[in-house]
Amino acid sequence: MSRRVFFVRVADRPGVLYKITSIFRRRNFNIESVAVGSTGAPDESTIIITLDLNDEEADTFARMLRRIIDVYSVEEHPDNGCVIAEPAIIRADAISDELKAKYSLNELMPGYYAYMGDPSKLENLIKELGDNRIKNIIRGGLTAMVMG
Amino acid sequence: MEKTTGARALVKALEMEGVGVIFGIPGGATLPFYDALKDGNIRHILARHEQSAAHMADGYARASGKVGVCTATSGPGATNLLTGIATAYMDSSPVVAITGQVAKAFIGKDAFQEIDTVGVFTPVVKYAFQPLSAAEIPPTIKKAFYIASTGRQGPVLVDVPKDVQTEKADVEYPTSVTIKGYEPYVRPDPAAIKEAAKQIIQAQRPIMLVGGGAVKAGVGPLVLELAEMLMMPIASTLMGKGAVPEDHFLSVGPIGMHGTYHANKLVTESDLVIGVGVRFSDRTTMDVGEFEKEKVIVHLDIDPTEIKKNVKNVVPVIGDLSESMKGIINEIKEMMPFVKDSPWWRRLKELKEQYDGKVFGDAFSPYIVKKIRELLGPEDIVTTEVGQAQAWAEIFYKALRPRTFITSGGLGTMGFGFPAAIGAKVARFSANVVDIAGDGSFLMTSNSLATSVKEGIPVIVVILNNSVLGMIAQWQRLVYNNRLVAAWLGESPSFPDLAKAYGAEGVRVNGLEDFERAFKEALKSEVTYVIDVPISPDENVFPFVPAGKGLREMMT
Ligand SMILES: Cc1ncc(C[n+]2csc(CCOP(=O)(O)OP(=O)(O)O)c2C)c(N)n1
């Protein structure tokens, strides 16, 4: 098993995500994250899927993706070959300036902070704040780009 | 550009695709479409269950190579259609299914007869469309036929809301189509062809394995040419039957769970398999690890997602089968002289002489199947139901032409054979069409007797009537320690009486001679003819490779 990131270029059309998530359901793949992004190309989106799979499963997954006519291309990369970022919005009691600076937090509205960056750093932030200071958190899923 | 309703545009678009016949049952959500059909030039054949309508369209497609079209209303009509469409999907058959849908404003509100048809069908179609305006209908139909009939073929759904059918709009009928990301024609890579040829000439014991793709691509003559150059056996999958004439001296028939003894034996002994339009399904390879052990597998297919899916150790050639075959033949011609004699060829001859047509045990069914072959012409068509009757037909019916052996291989759908026979007869009216059936399967869609009689589409149904769900009984005897449960059907109904109740002909026969007499009558009949052949409930189909075992472990 290893963490992989799939970059799937798809038609920007209703129903496409359904076809892709159906694969997770059918094969019982546990996804870590799915993010839909745009690359600027018209009528096209890129879906970034992060999940743990062994080689055989990754092969099957790519094969099932490629069979979908709305899928234009599938690229698979190990996670260490990608730049990965995760956004989050955190509602918390006043966070110190020191923490804000350490995690580059952006205060959107009083008590609402935006994070964007390395997912493991986000984990650290959550630990540092602790459950009783976080009133609410929403993590946006991993977005990624291949290095080089 | 013309101003018209969505329904009329739909009919006209179908006519422009060359559709002459459509199988279906109307309903609330398709009434505008049916109203438009009344003014068009398309023959509508009324099914008695939507599953059968889909099988008819599928049988039509498989017999003719053209796209078959079926239609159903929303809700229950669509769900009834589903089994038939899934059957077409598993066997890559080009079918376009048109379903009615509730009006757009009612979608998602649990309206009467509303289901999420696109959602339900998506996993079993090559593509699903839902045009949301009348103007979208002609381009949608163009795309639907293009997708269904190109590349690796398959069914396409077009779900049309009722208000889209009644809406008036300015519509245009496109004459060409491109779909971004869909490039069905793939030219094989010359380097891949070279590598495949190199592997093939190095083999001592090569065998060809032809599948449904070879039937669809019509590459039988090229397969024969290559096989004759190297004097190698030609085996097939269940779906590949008829790709090459099974009476050819190099043909050994199908391999697999119910393959012929000599084909299974030869493929086991081979050191190289050339798969032509096959997907190496579990019913074909059986234990796949064992199958590919100590073998090179050259895999020719149009669908890149099939490569290394089931067998891993392959030399792939992806692309148009006919181009790939021609390329390989040309390479080999340059590299080596034709083989005239070899130990492998002598082995083939020896096994074939010993096992061709051999009946293991004291079963009677094989003789009926062989008799059908004897009495039919090469262009005549056989369809099958699913179960022992299908397996008997697989082993003992030699298909001599492509598209003359029509069976549900991938999904294994009981009830397929009879409606598929009706569809095949519509496609090729001059051919005799015979459904080789089990009693259990026939009962699943026997109400298609009404369609065949009322629409004047005579076919022959030969029921190998063993009073049991035979294949279930066989597994229970051989794999579940003789513990028979829920396999007994009993002698009900009387099939000749059932046939007559519909206005068809029916007769129960006694023995092979009686069967021959009845079959000759049936060939002359102008209505559908049901021949009820009593078979012992204890017959087992052999050879039989139990699931999980390798092909070498045949029970006989
Ligand atoms: C729709 C459907 N339901 C159930 C099965 C499982 N099944 C496979 S073979 C078989 C028995 C078929 O009996 P029959 O049609 O009488 O043919 P026989 O095996 O006796 O020749 C059954 C129930 C199936 N293949 N398809």
Side-chain angles (χ1 to χ4, degrees):
Chain A
M1 290 282 251
S2 67
R3 174 103 82 90
R4 297 154 200 267
V5 185
F6 286 85
F7 296 82
V8 189
R9 277 176 53 240
V10 300
D12 187 8
R13 201 174 285 145
V16 177
L17 204 53
Y18 170 67
K19 294 178 196 178
I20 291 175
T21 52
S22 292
I23 302 176
F24 307 147
R25 179 192 45 72
R26 185 168 170 195
R27 282 301 309 246
N28 231 331
F29 290 149
N30 200 354
I31 43 166
E32 193 168 316
S33 151
V34 177
V36 184
S38 109
T39 53
D43 309 323
E44 191 179 307
S45 313
T46 294
I47 299 182
I48 299 162
I49 304 162
T50 316
L51 68 182
D52 278 327
L53 295 178
N54 64 32
D55 288 347
E56 161 89 30
E57 290 168 336
D59 179 67
T60 302
F61 182 49
R63 197 180 295 286
M64 292 169 88
L65 285 169
R66 289 197 174 100
R67 207 171 257 186
I68 300 169
I69 289 176
D70 289 330
V71 167
Y72 299 155
S73 71
V74 179
E75 272 184 53
E76 184 212 322
H77 294 276
D79 65 341
N80 58 19
C82 302
V83 182
I84 297 178
E86 183 175 13
I89 297 176
I90 300 159
R91 192 175 154 219
D93 289 335
I95 295 180
S96 69
D97 286 346
E98 187 196 342
L99 270 190
K100 270 194 239 170
K102 184 169 167 194
Y103 291 99
S104 315
L105 293 181
N106 183 3
E107 191 161 12
L108 301 167
M109 291 212 304
Y112 292 84
Y113 301 89
Y115 172 85
M116 181 67 196
D118 185 338
S120 60
K121 211 170 151 193
L122 177 59
E123 296 287 347
N124 292 343
L125 168 64
I126 292 168
K127 259 190 228 127
E128 243 181 281
L129 285 173
D131 281 349
N132 39 15
R133 283 178 69 197
I134 298 180
K135 291 186 178 155
N136 202 353
I137 178 166
I138 188 93
R139 300 178 64 161
L142 307 188
T143 189
M145 189 179 278
V146 184
M147 280 192 277
Chain B
M1 188 91 83
E2 64 173 6
K3 189 132 192 129
T4 189
T5 66
R8 283 173 188 273
L10 178 53
V11 172
K12 184 160 171 195
L14 290 170
E15 286 172 353
M16 289 175 75
E17 292 301 325
V19 175
V21 59
I22 175 165
F23 304 89
I25 300 185
T30 51
L31 282 173
F33 172 50
Y34 272 80
D35 191 58
L37 274 178
K38 193 162 174 73
D39 298 328
N41 296 314
I42 298 175
R43 176 182 180 193
H44 179 271
I45 292 176
L46 184 65
R48 298 301 190 269
H49 188 293
E50 289 85 352
Q51 178 186 341
S52 297
H55 291 328
M56 287 172 195
D58 190 354
Y60 175 93
R62 295 188 202 211
S64 66
K66 293 192 282 192
V67 175
V69 185
C70 57
T71 182
T73 191
S74 64
T79 51
N80 270 355
L81 206 61
L82 187 67
T83 299
I85 296 305
T87 303
Y89 181 71
M90 291 294 278
D91 291 340
S92 306
S93 183
V95 171
V96 167
I98 293 168
T99 48
Q101 182 54 279
V102 300
K104 280 180 301 201
F106 288 100
I107 293 177
K109 294 188 178 167
D110 305 324
F112 178 62
Q113 296 191 331
E114 187 220 343
I115 56 144
D116 177 11
T117 307
V118 169
V120 168
F121 277 70
T122 290
V124 295
V125 291
K126 200 171 160 190
Y127 206 88
F129 290 100
Q130 189 182 61
L132 294 175
S133 70
E136 270 179 58
I137 287 179
T140 300
I141 291 297
K142 189 94 213 154
K143 285 182 197 162
F145 276 72
Y146 176 58
I147 291 175
S149 61
T150 53
R152 177 178 185 167
Q153 302 180 326
V156 175
L157 173 81
V158 183
D159 188 42
V160 194
K162 192 170 183 182
D163 55 337
V164 174
Q165 297 171 44
T166 50
E167 178 189 298
K168 272 200 158 154
D170 288 324
V171 300
E172 268 178 294
Y173 300 87
T175 49
S176 66
V177 57
T178 52
I179 295 168
K180 187 175 170 188
Y182 179 64
E183 278 142 31
Y185 182 82
V186 183
R187 191 176 290 276
D189 172 10
I193 288 179
K194 268 207 166 61
E195 177 60 23
K198 198 180 104 198
Q199 295 288 342
I200 292 168
I201 60 165
Q202 282 169 3
Q204 301 299 308
R205 298 179 306 282
I207 185 169
M208 301 204 67
L209 179 63
V210 296
V215 173
K216 293 192 171 72
V219 292
L222 295 169
V223 170
L224 289 179
E225 188 180 343
L226 180 58
E228 285 172 14
M229 280 162 68
L230 303 177
M231 291 299 262
M232 63 178 150
I234 307 166
S236 80
T237 66
L238 174 58
M239 296 310 298
K241 276 177 76 75
V244 301
E246 289 187 280
D247 62 353
H248 186 275
F249 71 102
L250 291 173
S251 168
V252 292
I255 65 164
M257 181 176 275
H258 292 292
T260 66
Y261 187 88
H262 47 303
N264 279 342
K265 198 94 186 139
L266 284 163
V267 80
T268 306
E269 293 174 11
S270 70
D271 63 353
L272 179 132
V273 176
I274 308 168
V276 184
V278 298
R279 60 188 173 93
F280 295 103
S281 88
D282 50 314
R283 281 281 158 122
T284 293
T285 65
M286 302 309 291
D287 181 331
V288 70
E290 168 128 343
F291 180 85
E292 58 180 334
K293 214 179 339 181
E294 289 158 20
K295 269 194 208 1
V296 176
I297 295 176
V298 175
H299 191 182
L300 280 52
D301 207 274
I302 194 167
D303 180 357
T305 70
E306 280 302 336
I307 304 299
K308 299 188 187 177
K309 185 180 84 177
N310 295 330
V311 288
K312 305 292 174 195
N313 192 9
V314 301
V315 179
V317 182
I318 300 166
D320 179 72
L321 279 186
S322 150
E323 296 276 322
S324 302
M325 284 296 301
K326 280 182 200 152
I328 289 174
I329 289 169
N330 287 339
E331 286 291 328
I332 293 181
K333 263 187 196 153
E334 284 182 13
M335 287 194 273
M336 71 183 285
F338 287 15
V339 174
K340 294 216 174 59
D341 190 16
S342 70
W344 181 233
W345 151 242
R346 288 196 295 275
R347 176 73 177 143
L348 153 65
K349 221 164 64 171
E350 168 197 34
L351 279 172
K352 198 169 163 175
E353 269 160 22
Q354 204 175 343
Y355 293 106
D356 193 18
K358 180 176 164 73
V359 177
F360 296 91
D362 54 3
F364 177 59
S365 301
Y367 299 98
I368 294 290
V369 173
K370 289 182 181 197
K371 187 55 83 181
I372 294 172
R373 173 66 285 173
E374 202 184 301
L375 297 173
L376 287 180
E379 302 289 345
D380 289 335
I381 296 172
V382 155
T383 69
T384 82
E385 301 295 344
V386 168
Q388 288 183 314
Q390 177 187 38
W392 290 127
E394 174 176 11
I395 302 170
F396 292 102
Y397 187 83
K398 290 192 176 176
L400 305 180
R401 298 284 185 274
R403 305 188 177 282
T404 61
F405 187 85
I406 295 174
T407 193
S408 169
L411 200 63
T413 310
M414 291 170 70
F416 169 80
F418 181 41
I422 293 172
K425 181 76 179 177
V426 172
R428 291 207 27 235
F429 206 76
S430 61
N432 295 298
V433 184
V434 180
D435 173 28
I436 298 182
D439 40 339
S441 296
F442 181 64
L443 280 177
M444 288 207 176
T445 51
S446 57
N447 59 1
S448 292
L449 280 164
T451 303
S452 86
V453 171
K454 292 294 172 210
E455 302 273 352
I457 310 164
V459 300
I460 300 171
V461 182
V462 176
I463 303 178
L464 299 175
N465 185 355
N466 52 13
S467 309
V468 281
L469 295 168
M471 193 55 93
I472 300 299
Q474 171 164 349
W475 280 62
Q476 289 175 345
R477 279 191 296 264
L478 300 177
V479 188
Y480 288 85
N481 290 323
N482 233 343
R483 288 162 55 88
L484 271 88
V485 50
W488 183 247
L489 293 166
E491 278 153 29
S492 161
S494 152
F495 288 105
D497 288 347
L498 181 73
K500 285 174 192 149
Y502 280 98
E505 273 300 331
V507 62
R508 189 172 174 92
V509 299
N510 210 330
L512 201 55
E513 270 175 42
D514 203 19
F515 172 74
E516 177 163 352
R517 213 172 306 124
F519 196 82
K520 284 180 173 159
E521 275 308 306
L523 288 172
K524 284 185 277 179
S525 170
E526 285 180 0
V527 290
T528 285
Y529 210 101
V530 175
I531 306 177
D532 182 20
V533 188
I535 300 286
S536 156
D538 302 324
E539 282 191 1
N540 289 329
V541 183
F542 292 127
F544 170 47
V545 183
K549 296 272 166 65
L551 285 177
R552 69 180 78 235
E553 293 172 82
M554 267 179 284
M555 294 172 78
T556 54

